[in-house]
Amino acid sequence: KPLPEESHLANNDNEKMATSSDKVNDAVTLMPQEAFQKGQNLNNSMQTRDKDAFPVNQREIEAHRVNLQHLCRICGGSFKNDPYKRSHPVHGPVDDEMQALLRKKEKKATSWPDLLNKVFKTDVRGDMDTIHPTNFCHNCRSVIQRKFSNVPSEVYFPRKGTMEWQPHSTSCDVCGTSSHGIKRKMQAPNPPQGGKKLRIVAERARKIMHTRSQKQGNSKSIMKKITNCKKIHLSTKMLTVDYPVDFVKSVSCQICEHILADPVETTCKHLFCRLCILKCLKVIGSYCPSCRYPCFPTDLVNPVRSFQSILNTLGVRCPVKDCHEEVTPGEYSHHLSSHKEVKDKGA
């Protein structure tokens, strides 16, 4: 039989083991609850942080979109620099003034995206309002107007190329320069000139212009010798009506000064007989004989149909004696051949 002391010690050991096991069980049950509470607190803090960051990011994008409304889609200039604050929508139909100009030139384009793509080679159909501006400035509209008007087609664009727009970022150029537009390279101002120096420059310019006008006169005579088209083209003196001088110049070739025969138009809007301009380009080089603008045979196009119809309705006197008929330039050769047939029959 065990002793009483040993049984007492065994009972104490059993009680200690039971209490330690209860503590372990309590700790095991408490640990997941504490971890769950800590994880829940961490998730709540992250959600609140995301909620705080989301409005800030959204506000920046909205501010970026507002800044884009003050910039030109093509050149990046600010509308605030224009004293009249003029701007035009990138999408939509053209205005009445531009529509009238396009109708005069017999162009089929009727919307701004078509014109912007034709003039600036910029396709705006896939634009996003969070990345691209939705308007363009009046200066770029003037460039389009000069392209389709009667002035020479050398377009003066203020930049080397159109703007490349990027989404909003931390180093955003749009948000930093929206009030003044995207920065461009400034040209150095010309130094002031004195009075005496200015007179010397003016005298030199006069001499240069005088020699240039003499050279132009000589070059015209040379070009007339190159074309040598007196026998095949009609002179403006054969017109039956005494038209104004400016009108006669508009229907005559800039090289031979005869009535336009098979007219063609260059990129610089000058009119020539097809045969005359092709001969001159072959001899003198690939530039316009009137303004020295680069010109190639592939650039020659037919003038608008309304001008051709006016040219075909001009009246020309028959050079045959005792014949007072008025014929059009297109019927002139057939009319002369009829006179030759009558003369041959009479002979």
Side-chain angles (χ1 to χ4, degrees):
K1 291 184 180 179
L3 296 172
E5 293 180 357
E6 291 178 356
S7 63
H8 182 68
L9 290 171
N11 291 331
N12 290 336
D13 292 336
N14 292 330
E15 290 176 359
K16 287 180 180 178
M17 288 176 65
T19 54
S20 63
S21 63
D22 292 338
K23 289 180 179 180
V24 170
N25 292 330
D26 294 339
V28 169
T29 53
L30 286 172
M31 280 178 64
Q33 293 179 357
E34 291 177 357
F36 177 74
Q37 289 178 356
K38 288 181 180 179
Q40 191 172 7
N41 293 333
L42 183 61
N43 290 332
N44 292 334
S45 63
M46 290 177 66
Q47 287 178 1
T48 54
R49 194 181 305 161
D50 292 340
K51 286 180 181 178
D52 293 338
F54 180 73
V56 172
N57 191 15
Q58 192 68 22
R59 283 197 297 269
E60 289 180 358
I61 293 174
E62 289 297 330
H64 179 76
R65 186 183 297 174
V66 171
N67 291 332
L68 286 175
Q69 302 305 316
H70 300 291
L71 298 179
C72 174
R73 168 67 176 86
I74 306 301
C75 66
S78 176
F79 301 142
K80 296 178 182 178
N81 297 331
D82 186 1
Y84 300 103
K85 304 292 188 297
R86 293 169 294 185
S87 63
H88 307 277
V90 169
H91 303 282
V94 299
D95 52 33
D96 295 338
E97 184 181 357
M98 187 63 67
Q99 184 66 41
L101 180 61
L102 294 172
R103 194 178 292 113
K104 284 182 181 179
K105 291 296 176 180
E106 298 180 351
K107 302 294 181 181
K108 295 181 179 179
T110 57
S111 63
W112 286 121
D114 295 336
L115 294 181
L116 295 174
N117 193 17
K118 188 175 183 63
V119 177
F120 301 108
K121 310 300 180 188
T122 303
D123 190 5
V124 299
R125 291 180 178 86
D127 284 3
M128 299 174 62
D129 58 351
T130 55
I131 300 175
H132 305 90
T134 56
N135 296 302
F136 64 97
C137 64
H138 191 72
N139 185 31
C140 293
R141 185 194 179 281
S142 301
V143 173
I144 300 173
Q145 189 172 6
R146 285 201 300 268
K147 179 72 175 177
F148 294 103
S149 61
N150 291 326
V151 298
S153 64
E154 184 177 355
V155 177
Y156 298 96
F157 190 57
R159 296 182 64 88
K160 292 182 179 179
T162 54
M163 285 293 301
E164 293 183 1
W165 302 95
Q166 302 294 335
H168 178 65
S169 61
T170 54
S171 59
C172 183
D173 294 333
V174 173
C175 297
T177 58
S178 61
S179 59
H180 304 289
I182 306 299
K183 291 183 179 179
R184 301 182 183 139
K185 293 181 179 180
M186 300 294 292
Q187 295 181 353
N190 295 325
Q193 297 177 348
K196 187 176 180 181
K197 190 175 181 180
L198 191 62
R199 283 197 298 271
I200 294 170
V201 171
E203 289 176 2
R204 286 181 181 175
R206 269 196 294 272
K207 289 180 181 179
I208 291 170
M209 292 296 291
H210 180 66
T211 55
R212 190 176 293 173
S213 63
Q214 288 181 343
K215 286 181 180 179
Q216 285 179 355
N218 295 331
S219 64
K220 271 197 171 184
S221 61
I222 292 170
M223 285 189 290
K224 284 183 180 180
K225 289 180 181 178
I226 291 171
T227 56
N228 192 18
C229 57
K230 286 184 179 179
K231 294 182 180 180
I232 56 176
H233 291 165
L234 302 178
S235 173
T236 54
K237 295 178 181 179
M238 298 175 64
L239 292 171
T240 55
V241 180
D242 188 12
Y243 293 108
V245 178
D246 294 334
F247 179 79
V248 174
K249 285 183 179 179
S250 66
V251 296
S252 59
C253 177
Q254 300 288 318
I255 297 173
C256 65
E257 297 181 348
H258 295 151
I259 299 174
L260 286 165
D262 191 11
V264 291
E265 185 179 358
T266 60
T267 53
C268 49
K269 308 298 181 186
H270 289 118
L271 292 168
F272 303 96
C273 302
R274 187 183 295 273
L275 183 63
C276 297
I277 186 66
L278 290 177
K279 283 184 178 180
C280 286
L281 292 178
K282 191 174 182 180
V283 175
I284 66 176
S286 299
Y287 58 85
C288 176
S290 295
C291 64
R292 316 287 291 186
Y293 190 78
C295 179
F296 300 92
T298 54
D299 297 334
L300 303 176
V301 295
N302 295 324
V304 294
R305 291 191 297 272
S306 55
F307 177 80
Q308 292 182 10
S309 63
I310 293 172
L311 192 64
N312 293 331
T313 56
L314 295 175
V316 180
R317 283 192 298 268
C318 178
V320 178
K321 193 176 181 180
D322 297 333
C323 180
H324 303 288
E325 278 195 51
E326 296 181 5
V327 294
T328 60
E331 299 171 349
Y332 181 80
S333 59
H334 179 70
H335 182 76
L336 278 186
S337 62
S338 64
H339 279 295
K340 286 182 181 179
E341 289 177 0
V342 171
K343 189 176 181 181
D344 293 338
K345 286 180 181 179

